[in-house]
Amino acid sequence: MDANKPGFTTVKLPGNRVANVPEDIVIKLPENSPVTDDRLHLLAYIPWDDKYLAYIPDEYTDFFKFVVPHLGARTTDVHTALSVSHLAELMSLSNNQPIDKDVLYVSVILHDSGWPMMEPSEIADSLSYNSVEAYSPQAMKPKEMHATLGSYAAKKMLREYSGAPELSEAQQKFVRDLVYYHDQIRPWPEKPEPIEYLLLGDADRMWSYTHENFWLDTIRKNTEPAQYLENLRNALEDYFLTEQGRTIARRLVGERAQEVAKLTES
Ligand SMILES: [Fe+2]
Ligand SMILES: [Fe+2]
């Protein structure tokens, strides 16, 4: 493949492998990692940049800035900002259902705060599958653990934070539960699930379909862009928890298809 396609740049990977990614996305590999070279691609990441703060609504910026120093692993900081970026549209497509907006935003901001508490090898294990569904058995344990650790981290941060939005005790408990159950490995204990749980799940899942993570995941999951696009397209209808999520994801798949076509066209 042409390594110098207009609009694309290359990322050098161990074993003389080279990946093509759009030139506006910065992708790095960790230095001095305890993870062996054959698994290093699993830890590729997009470094934090303050430009991602633009995705956070003003009323949640202070809280996001309080939390983001605790999200520096597995591209969790960028992932969290982009997950927040889809909430306004997810809510507007929710047919005027009552939604606790503060709980929703705060839980999305905190949902992956467990990742930085884990070892690099556990984080690598959590990415050892090549679509967006069907986690490998190796990925299940760290995924479960990050949700448990995240609920503790959420409790601590909510206690320590003293700005807006102010959450009641009941809202804080709701946020902790949302973090604990967010990955759907453990089912939410009641039916129907609250709308905040469903929209958090879909905001989280939308990350796979974003410009940034689509290309990052072609590296982390060692999958050709055209194949990964196909995987995402095939997974879409079952992957999302709400029709609102599917609506947005279908649009994002179209955008990713255009990018892949730009790379692969002769
Ligand atoms: Fe998560
Ligand atoms: Fe997440």
Side-chain angles (χ1 to χ4, degrees):
M1 190 176 289
D2 184 353
N4 299 310
K5 274 269 181 194
F8 286 82
T9 186
T10 51
V11 180
K12 286 195 176 70
L13 302 169
N16 291 327
R17 218 163 63 77
V18 169
N20 295 274
V21 301
E23 61 189 1
D24 65 309
I25 305 176
V26 176
I27 294 183
K28 295 194 167 178
L29 291 173
E31 288 170 19
N32 306 317
S33 173
V35 168
T36 51
D37 268 7
D38 60 320
R39 287 180 13 111
L40 204 57
H41 63 282
L42 292 164
L43 297 179
Y45 67 100
I46 300 173
W48 173 256
D49 187 300
D50 280 348
K51 71 181 180 186
Y52 296 112
L53 283 174
Y55 291 120
I56 314 299
D58 289 349
E59 66 251 61
Y60 300 107
T61 300
D62 285 348
F63 183 66
F64 185 86
K65 283 183 174 172
F66 175 77
V67 174
V68 79
H70 304 279
L71 301 180
R74 204 183 183 264
T75 314
T76 296
D77 38 21
V78 179
H79 160 56
T80 301
L82 279 158
S83 299
V84 168
S85 79
H86 297 294
L87 290 177
E89 189 173 8
L90 284 166
M91 286 195 297
S92 78
L93 293 170
S94 294
N95 299 329
N96 299 319
Q97 282 188 69
I99 297 169
D100 189 329
K101 184 181 162 197
D102 286 346
V103 162
L104 179 59
Y105 273 86
V106 167
S107 64
V108 171
I109 291 169
L110 289 170
H111 81 281
D112 272 341
S113 53
W115 283 124
M117 300 161 83
M118 297 179 62
E119 298 295 326
S121 62
E122 293 171 322
I123 291 175
D125 283 348
S126 74
L127 289 154
S128 57
Y129 55 99
N130 69 1
S131 179
V132 289
E133 295 182 294
Y135 304 141
S136 69
Q138 202 181 9
M140 292 291 271
K141 200 168 155 35
K143 279 194 161 274
E144 198 169 357
M145 201 189 300
H146 92 286
T148 304
L149 293 173
S151 68
Y152 294 131
K155 182 176 187 176
K156 186 165 179 286
M157 282 190 263
L158 287 170
R159 289 270 176 263
E160 288 171 358
Y161 179 73
S162 58
E166 269 183 48
L167 300 189
S168 68
E169 283 298 323
Q171 285 176 307
Q172 291 188 32
K173 163 87 169 64
F174 193 9
V175 168
R176 292 201 303 273
D177 287 347
L178 287 165
V179 173
Y180 186 79
Y181 289 104
H182 81 268
D183 232 356
Q184 287 93 44
I185 287 175
R186 312 166 172 118
W188 186 265
E190 290 155 18
K191 296 275 182 197
E193 296 102 339
I195 183 74
E196 293 83 358
Y197 166 84
L198 299 173
L199 296 187
L200 162 60
D202 277 359
D204 189 15
R205 288 164 177 234
M206 205 65 72
W207 167 238
S208 298
Y209 291 74
T210 60
H211 175 64
E212 286 81 356
N213 193 56
F214 175 84
W215 292 97
L216 176 62
D217 266 359
T218 61
I219 293 174
R220 296 202 292 193
K221 299 181 179 180
N222 195 15
T223 307
E224 282 298 321
Q227 180 61 56
Y228 195 50
L229 177 68
E230 206 45 40
N231 294 355
L232 290 187
R233 191 177 266 140
N234 291 338
L236 193 156
E237 297 302 323
D238 294 329
Y239 184 51
F240 288 90
L241 307 176
T242 67
E243 192 49 35
Q244 301 89 297
R246 283 186 280 276
T247 300
I248 299 171
R250 286 186 204 112
R251 184 180 74 232
L252 297 185
V253 156
E255 293 172 11
R256 301 299 76 79
Q258 286 182 10
E259 292 164 6
V260 172
K262 223 169 126 189
L263 176 66
T264 53
E265 71 198 4
S266 53

